[in-house]
Amino acid sequence: QVQLVESGGGSVTAGGSLRLSCAASVSSFRVRTMGWYRQTPGKQRDLVASITNTGATNYADSVKGRFAISRDNAKKTVFLQMNSLKAEDTAVYYCNQVVPTFSWGQGTQVTVSS
């Protein structure tokens, strides 16, 4: 059974940094394209960063230049380094495969105060 466990969220002031981690108990992790998504109340869950099995990355325009996604295949873990955080980055952050997604984990709350 697939399990995704996100951690590392918290409350920071604008301009601060956080590093999120996602432990993924999935088979063939190293060949999967993984991503970080975020969701605010009443809105859809959006993909903000992805990383392929070869390490190629892609970012939403809103986080480009501030966020960095990485992965450790040996530990089946995906990371999201978030710098220069803004109030609009406040959301629950989830990791998952990028199409098709697995069942969602509980996410980790990120709150940025201005």
Side-chain angles (χ1 to χ4, degrees):
Q1 184 174 351
V2 172
Q3 188 173 22
L4 301 166
V5 181
E6 300 91 348
S7 62
S11 296
V12 297
T13 55
S17 299
L18 285 172
R19 189 185 193 218
L20 307 184
S21 299
C22 171
S25 61
V26 300
S27 61
S28 305
F29 174 84
R30 63 178 60 248
V31 303
R32 302 185 185 277
T33 295
M34 298 297 294
W36 281 96
Y37 301 74
R38 66 186 183 188
Q39 186 174 30
T40 55
K43 295 189 176 181
Q44 68 178 18
R45 193 171 294 165
D46 293 326
L47 178 67
V48 296
S50 63
I51 184 166
T52 70
N53 60 326
T54 60
T57 58
N58 196 36
Y59 299 93
D61 288 342
S62 59
V63 306
K64 201 170 292 183
R66 301 187 297 119
F67 290 11
I69 188 172
S70 59
R71 65 193 296 164
D72 183 334
N73 288 330
K75 296 182 178 180
K76 294 187 177 182
T77 303
V78 186
F79 304 97
L80 186 67
Q81 178 66 43
M82 305 188 297
N83 299 325
S84 302
L85 283 162
K86 304 176 181 180
E88 50 263 44
D89 295 319
T90 295
V92 179
Y93 285 73
Y94 303 85
C95 74
N96 211 317
Q97 180 172 241
V98 178
V99 186
T101 57
F102 299 115
S103 297
W104 296 92
Q106 84 287 349
T108 187
Q109 175 71 48
V110 172
T111 303
V112 185
S113 57
S114 56

